[in-house]
Short mmCIF file of all heavy atoms in Angstrom, two decimals:
data_model
loop_
_atom_site.label_atom_id
_atom_site.label_comp_id
_atom_site.label_asym_id
_atom_site.label_seq_id
_atom_site.Cartn_x
_atom_site.Cartn_y
_atom_site.Cartn_z
N HIS Q 39 93.25 65.78 43.20
CA HIS Q 39 92.92 64.49 43.84
C HIS Q 39 94.09 63.52 43.79
O HIS Q 39 93.93 62.35 43.42
CB HIS Q 39 91.68 63.87 43.20
CG HIS Q 39 90.49 64.76 43.19
ND1 HIS Q 39 89.73 64.99 44.31
CD2 HIS Q 39 89.96 65.53 42.22
CE1 HIS Q 39 88.76 65.83 44.03
NE2 HIS Q 39 88.88 66.19 42.76
N ILE Q 40 95.28 64.02 44.17
CA ILE Q 40 96.50 63.21 44.12
C ILE Q 40 97.18 63.21 45.48
O ILE Q 40 97.29 64.24 46.14
CB ILE Q 40 97.49 63.76 43.07
CG1 ILE Q 40 96.90 63.65 41.67
CG2 ILE Q 40 98.82 63.03 43.14
CD1 ILE Q 40 97.75 64.30 40.61
N ILE Q 41 97.64 62.03 45.88
CA ILE Q 41 98.50 61.88 47.06
C ILE Q 41 99.87 61.44 46.54
O ILE Q 41 99.97 60.50 45.75
CB ILE Q 41 97.94 60.84 48.04
CG1 ILE Q 41 96.61 61.32 48.60
CG2 ILE Q 41 98.94 60.58 49.17
CD1 ILE Q 41 95.89 60.29 49.45
N GLU Q 42 100.93 62.11 47.01
CA GLU Q 42 102.29 61.79 46.60
C GLU Q 42 103.07 61.33 47.82
O GLU Q 42 103.12 62.02 48.83
CB GLU Q 42 102.96 63.03 46.00
CG GLU Q 42 104.41 62.83 45.64
CD GLU Q 42 105.05 64.11 45.18
OE1 GLU Q 42 105.54 64.87 46.04
OE2 GLU Q 42 105.07 64.36 43.97
N ILE Q 43 103.67 60.14 47.71
CA ILE Q 43 104.48 59.57 48.78
C ILE Q 43 105.88 59.31 48.22
O ILE Q 43 106.01 58.62 47.22
CB ILE Q 43 103.88 58.25 49.31
CG1 ILE Q 43 102.45 58.46 49.78
CG2 ILE Q 43 104.75 57.67 50.42
CD1 ILE Q 43 101.67 57.18 49.99
N VAL Q 44 106.90 59.88 48.86
CA VAL Q 44 108.29 59.64 48.45
C VAL Q 44 109.00 59.00 49.62
O VAL Q 44 109.01 59.53 50.73
CB VAL Q 44 109.00 60.96 48.05
CG1 VAL Q 44 110.44 60.68 47.67
CG2 VAL Q 44 108.26 61.64 46.91
N GLN Q 45 109.58 57.81 49.35
CA GLN Q 45 110.25 57.07 50.41
C GLN Q 45 111.36 56.22 49.82
O GLN Q 45 111.12 55.43 48.89
CB GLN Q 45 109.24 56.19 51.15
CG GLN Q 45 109.79 55.48 52.35
CD GLN Q 45 108.72 54.71 53.09
OE1 GLN Q 45 107.63 54.49 52.59
NE2 GLN Q 45 109.04 54.28 54.28
N LYS Q 46 112.55 56.38 50.34
CA LYS Q 46 113.71 55.55 49.98
C LYS Q 46 113.91 55.43 48.47
O LYS Q 46 114.07 54.34 47.93
CB LYS Q 46 113.61 54.18 50.62
CG LYS Q 46 113.67 54.22 52.12
CD LYS Q 46 113.62 52.84 52.73
CE LYS Q 46 113.66 52.96 54.25
NZ LYS Q 46 113.61 51.65 54.88
N GLY Q 47 113.88 56.55 47.77
CA GLY Q 47 114.15 56.56 46.34
C GLY Q 47 113.00 56.15 45.45
O GLY Q 47 113.17 56.01 44.25
N CYS Q 48 111.81 55.95 46.01
CA CYS Q 48 110.63 55.59 45.22
C CYS Q 48 109.53 56.63 45.44
O CYS Q 48 109.32 57.07 46.57
CB CYS Q 48 110.10 54.22 45.61
SG CYS Q 48 111.25 52.89 45.25
N LYS Q 49 108.85 56.98 44.36
CA LYS Q 49 107.73 57.91 44.46
C LYS Q 49 106.46 57.18 44.03
O LYS Q 49 106.42 56.53 42.99
CB LYS Q 49 107.93 59.13 43.57
CG LYS Q 49 106.76 60.09 43.62
CD LYS Q 49 107.03 61.48 43.06
CE LYS Q 49 107.39 61.55 41.64
NZ LYS Q 49 107.43 62.92 41.13
N THR Q 50 105.43 57.27 44.87
CA THR Q 50 104.13 56.67 44.58
C THR Q 50 103.12 57.80 44.48
O THR Q 50 103.00 58.62 45.37
CB THR Q 50 103.70 55.69 45.69
OG1 THR Q 50 104.67 54.65 45.78
CG2 THR Q 50 102.34 55.08 45.37
N LEU Q 51 102.41 57.84 43.35
CA LEU Q 51 101.32 58.79 43.16
C LEU Q 51 100.01 58.00 43.17
O LEU Q 51 99.88 57.02 42.44
CB LEU Q 51 101.45 59.53 41.83
CG LEU Q 51 102.61 60.49 41.69
CD1 LEU Q 51 102.66 61.04 40.28
CD2 LEU Q 51 102.52 61.60 42.70
N ILE Q 52 99.08 58.45 43.99
CA ILE Q 52 97.75 57.84 44.03
C ILE Q 52 96.77 58.90 43.57
O ILE Q 52 96.65 59.94 44.21
CB ILE Q 52 97.40 57.35 45.45
CG1 ILE Q 52 98.47 56.39 45.97
CG2 ILE Q 52 96.01 56.70 45.46
CD1 ILE Q 52 98.35 56.07 47.44
#
Side-chain angles (χ1 to χ4, degrees):
H39 305 283
I40 296 174
I41 296 173
E42 176 185 86
I43 304 166
V44 178
Q45 186 176 13
K46 295 182 181 180
C48 295
K49 178 165 62 171
T50 300
L51 293 175
I52 304 168

